[in-house]
Amino acid sequence: MSGTLLLGLHLTAAAQDDLLQQLEQQATTQTKPDFATATFKGTRIVNGQSVETPASGSLQFLIGHRFGQLNSGAYNFFGLDQATIRLGLEYGLNDRLAVGLGRSSLDKTFDGFVKYKALRQHSGPRAVPVTLTLLATSTITTLKFPVGADRSTAARMAYSYQALLARKFSPGLSAQLMPTLVHRNLVPQPGDDNDVYAVGGAVRQKLTKRIALTAEYYYVLSEATAQQARNPLAVGFDIETGGHVFQLHFTNAQGMVDPLFIPRTTGNFFEGDIFFGFNISRSFGLNHRKP
């Protein structure tokens, strides 16, 4: 009888220990924030940037390519005889801070940027419903100016500042809002805006495990610039292929850096002024830290 009683007490104590361990594990899990990942698959949506930054110690090599306008006719092989290209590098200083530089054939432009993920969407304690990334970009054109034109370094500079605000609503659907300011030291037309304000929106919807539909649109708010330029629009597909992200898209913008496309897009997307293009990115881990 006493043996049975001791066995029962032992089993009861063991069950209590198991229950306590489960409660402790559950409490530990609940205190850790569950961060949203892959809100967008790459650091670029189409022309503009996403809230994503490269992982710490990761170097990304990007190739952006735009053919000529589709409505340029058979003589130009519907734009395939022409091309604009940008080569870029992006490096994650840590998991939230990144720097990058690039060179575009359009106006022979060099660009550099700093990107910081200020907020990260997560559930759990002190949940944050969105991801906020701050972006500052500067460009300088090295194109030869006409004789007598202002050739100073300052006249060749332009800057842009963005707050990228995104939310991952489900495993397949993400959206982003992009309030933007572009400052140009030298404007192309008299009366044009040196400071151009715009607001952008983007969406990503996964179609399959490796393919997603993306769309991006910027609305130019500054009146003088809006009268001379078109709002940039782009639609395309993201294709994941192992370590690569391959993006195919159609856009009325030729530039691939904010100061080159937000205030300077002139094509009408719905009248066939469309550039077919692609972005390719490849990531290289420069440190050997395990994730």
Side-chain angles (χ1 to χ4, degrees):
M1 181 70 177
S2 61
T4 304
L5 179 61
L6 290 174
L7 178 61
L9 292 174
H10 175 73
L11 293 176
T12 301
Q16 289 176 344
D17 289 341
D18 291 342
L19 180 60
L20 287 174
Q21 289 178 358
Q22 292 177 3
L23 291 174
E24 289 175 356
Q25 290 175 356
Q26 183 177 5
T28 302
T29 302
Q30 291 177 347
T31 58
K32 293 182 179 180
D34 184 15
F35 290 104
T37 59
T39 304
F40 290 88
K41 189 59 183 178
T43 59
R44 303 275 166 164
I45 300 174
V46 178
N47 299 310
Q49 297 209 34
S50 74
V51 292
E52 305 296 344
T53 56
S56 178
S58 175
L59 178 68
Q60 286 196 351
F61 175 57
L62 299 95
I63 301 174
H65 193 285
R66 304 290 182 273
F67 292 103
Q69 291 179 332
L70 290 178
N71 62 359
S72 60
Y75 180 74
N76 291 319
F77 203 42
F78 303 98
L80 296 182
D81 286 348
Q82 304 161 333
T84 301
I85 191 170
R86 177 185 179 271
L87 304 178
L89 292 172
E90 301 179 4
Y91 180 71
L93 297 173
N94 55 46
D95 288 332
R96 305 178 75 168
L97 179 63
V99 295
L101 54 87
R103 201 270 187 182
S104 299
S105 61
L106 183 62
D107 289 354
K108 305 185 185 299
T109 301
F110 290 87
D111 67 85
F113 68 84
V114 177
K115 194 175 185 182
Y116 176 67
K117 190 177 291 186
L119 296 174
R120 292 184 291 176
Q121 178 185 342
H122 68 267
S123 57
R126 299 182 181 179
V128 177
V130 296
T131 296
L132 173 64
T133 299
L134 305 177
L135 174 67
T137 303
S138 62
T139 64
I140 181 169
T141 176
T142 60
L143 189 70
K144 293 181 179 179
F145 282 15
V147 176
D150 187 351
R151 298 169 180 262
S152 67
T153 300
R156 298 173 178 270
M157 298 291 296
Y159 310 90
S160 68
Y161 308 94
Q162 287 186 300
L164 310 176
L165 193 67
R167 176 171 174 80
K168 189 173 184 179
F169 292 96
S170 70
L173 177 63
S174 302
Q176 181 171 298
L177 185 69
M178 300 91 81
T180 304
L181 167 63
V182 176
H183 173 80
R184 298 174 291 176
N185 286 345
L186 181 66
V187 293
Q189 301 292 335
D192 204 348
D193 299 298
N194 289 92
D195 290 327
V196 178
Y197 294 90
V199 60
V203 64
R204 177 179 185 264
Q205 174 62 60
K206 291 194 71 174
L207 303 178
T208 68
K209 184 178 180 181
R210 295 188 178 275
I211 299 176
L213 174 68
T214 57
E216 176 188 86
Y217 179 74
Y218 285 85
Y219 183 79
V220 177
L221 300 171
S222 301
E223 184 176 355
T225 301
Q227 291 176 353
Q228 302 179 35
R230 297 277 184 176
N231 295 322
L233 170 64
V235 293
F237 296 92
D238 289 357
I239 303 172
E240 302 174 34
T241 57
H244 296 75
V245 178
F246 189 48
Q247 300 173 308
L248 297 171
H249 46 254
F250 299 89
T251 176
N252 63 336
Q254 192 176 20
M256 288 165 273
V257 186
D258 301 333
L260 294 181
F261 75 86
I262 292 178
R264 292 181 52 179
T265 296
T266 57
N268 188 326
F269 188 93
F270 300 101
E271 292 182 0
D273 299 329
I274 298 173
F275 300 92
F276 171 66
F278 58 84
N279 296 332
I280 302 175
S281 65
R282 172 65 177 172
S283 181
F284 302 91
L286 298 188
N287 60 15
H288 299 286
R289 186 190 68 178
K290 294 183 179 180

